Amino acid sequence: RFEPSSNMGRPSASPENRAFSVCFAHAISKQTGSRLDFVARSGPWSLFSALARMFPAYARTDDGQGFRDGVSEVQFNKELQKNGFQRVRDRRTCATKRSEDPTGAGMYLFSHLKWRDPNDSEDREALLAKFDELVEKFPLIMLACKLDKFLTIVAHFCKEWSISSEQMGNFVEGEGAESDSSELRQRARRLSGLSPSSAQLQQQGAGLQALTGPLFPPSSAVIPPHSFGMVQIPVGA
């Protein structure tokens, strides 16, 4: 829910939007016991980018997209770290800053963390349950994203991050690993290394339009109350 800020100075996320950010991140990712499992904090396949894709009004990007009380990438990551998400520095010899990293992730990642994969039966069951929890706790925000769109975008991010992270090579905190960067640099031409703007998210989402419908509906669009009904999608669909 958008709560206009009484402070007309620097934009700041509302308490509800900060709480939603944490619940959303828990919904689409899962903690693991391995420090070799990691998810991007920045770039096109980060948790924040998934939020901006599904809920553009509630994510403030660099070009001004989103409500004034929406969450910026910096605020989003800070909220996650305050609530148990572990930030680590990638110390591989091939690790680079965000503007040079082919994956757009940069040197700082969330460790002990994996995307939930809708193609995995256990993860899909968890995603369906987490989606229901989000609808119950944040019914107005969740009007912006139907279940099929939610699952499709999570599956897309899970797949693309898996491809990108495999090409990065093994991540070991505090240890170096040589890696041939020629293939990575080719992929860099297709990925942005900066905080996502609405234009970048529009372009990145072109391949999902046919499956999910418009990712950025007009602000005047009216979403019916029943639009987030619980739809059971078969495993492997």
Side-chain angles (χ1 to χ4, degrees), residues 1 13-28 47-48 50-52 54-59 69-71 76 79-80 83 85 130-131 133-145 150:
R1 181 168 59 89
S14 69
E16 183 176 24
N17 291 338
R18 290 197 297 268
F20 176 71
S21 296
V22 176
C23 292
F24 173 78
H26 279 299
I28 65 175
L47 297 176
F48 177 78
L51 176 75
M54 295 186 210
F55 304 95
Y58 296 91
D69 283 6
V71 181
F76 179 86
E79 285 300 315
L80 266 54
N83 286 272
F85 285 72
K130 293 293 186 181
F131 184 89
E133 290 179 12
L134 290 173
V135 170
E136 181 178 356
K137 292 180 179 179
F138 308 94
L140 295 182
I141 294 178
M142 291 302 292
L143 286 172
C145 188
F150 176 80

Side-chain angles (χ1 to χ4, degrees), residues 44-45 102 163 167 183 185-192:
W45 309 121
I163 294 172
Q167 291 181 344
E183 184 176 357
R185 295 188 183 281
Q186 292 178 11
R187 186 170 179 80
R189 300 189 184 99
R190 303 192 299 271
L191 294 177
S192 166

Side-chain angles (χ1 to χ4, degrees), residues 162-220:
S162 176
I163 294 172
S164 296
S165 57
E166 285 177 5
Q167 291 181 344
M168 287 167 64
N170 293 329
F171 167 80
V172 180
E173 183 183 7
E175 297 182 12
E178 295 295 336
S179 173
D180 181 4
S181 62
S182 60
E183 184 176 357
L184 301 186
R185 295 188 183 281
Q186 292 178 11
R187 186 170 179 80
R189 300 189 184 99
R190 303 192 299 271
L191 294 177
S192 166
L194 304 176
S195 176
S197 66
S198 59
Q200 290 170 329
L201 290 167
Q202 285 275 20
Q203 182 179 11
Q204 181 193 9
L208 292 172
Q209 292 282 353
L211 295 176
T212 66
L215 300 181
F216 292 82
S219 58
S220 60

Side-chain angles (χ1 to χ4, degrees):
R1 181 168 59 89
F2 173 50
E3 300 175 357
S5 174
S6 59
N7 180 6
M8 297 307 293
R10 189 174 183 178
S12 180
S14 69
E16 183 176 24
N17 291 338
R18 290 197 297 268
F20 176 71
S21 296
V22 176
C23 292
F24 173 78
H26 279 299
I28 65 175
S29 64
K30 61 183 180 181
Q31 302 286 335
T32 74
S34 173
R35 64 174 182 156
L36 301 183
D37 292 329
F38 56 98
V39 170
R41 293 175 70 256
S42 306
W45 309 121
S46 67
L47 297 176
F48 177 78
S49 288
L51 176 75
R53 174 69 58 75
M54 295 186 210
F55 304 95
Y58 296 91
R60 280 190 293 110
T61 57
D62 289 346
D63 63 354
Q65 171 193 295
F67 289 146
R68 183 178 180 82
D69 283 6
V71 181
S72 69
E73 183 178 59
V74 172
Q75 292 169 336
F76 179 86
N77 287 334
K78 284 184 177 179
E79 285 300 315
L80 266 54
Q81 288 161 211
K82 284 166 54 179
N83 286 272
F85 285 72
Q86 301 181 48
R87 186 189 79 158
V88 296
R89 181 174 179 178
D90 184 352
R91 298 185 182 277
R92 291 170 304 128
T93 56
C94 60
T96 60
K97 58 186 180 181
R98 285 192 304 169
S99 60
E100 300 173 356
D101 187 348
T103 69
M107 294 185 178
Y108 291 95
L109 307 163
F110 285 125
S111 71
H112 299 78
L113 195 69
K114 294 180 68 174
W115 284 91
R116 296 189 194 275
D117 183 0
N119 293 312
D120 176 87
S121 58
E122 184 175 341
D123 281 353
R124 178 178 287 263
E125 183 177 351
L127 283 164
L128 294 175
K130 293 293 186 181
F131 184 89
D132 286 351
E133 290 179 12
L134 290 173
V135 170
E136 181 178 356
K137 292 180 179 179
F138 308 94
L140 295 182
I141 294 178
M142 291 302 292
L143 286 172
C145 188
K146 297 181 181 180
L147 178 60
D148 57 350
K149 176 179 174 180
F150 176 80
L151 292 176
T152 299
I153 292 176
V154 172
H156 185 66
F157 272 65
C158 178
K159 177 182 177 181
E160 289 299 323
W161 176 245
S162 176
I163 294 172
S164 296
S165 57
E166 285 177 5
Q167 291 181 344
M168 287 167 64
N170 293 329
F171 167 80
V172 180
E173 183 183 7
E175 297 182 12
E178 295 295 336
S179 173
D180 181 4
S181 62
S182 60
E183 184 176 357
L184 301 186
R185 295 188 183 281
Q186 292 178 11
R187 186 170 179 80
R189 300 189 184 99
R190 303 192 299 271
L191 294 177
S192 166
L194 304 176
S195 176
S197 66
S198 59
Q200 290 170 329
L201 290 167
Q202 285 275 20
Q203 182 179 11
Q204 181 193 9
L208 292 172
Q209 292 282 353
L211 295 176
T212 66
L215 300 181
F216 292 82
S219 58
S220 60
V222 177
I223 304 175
H226 61 275
S227 65
F228 56 86
M230 303 301 104
V231 180
Q232 296 292 328
I233 300 179
V235 175

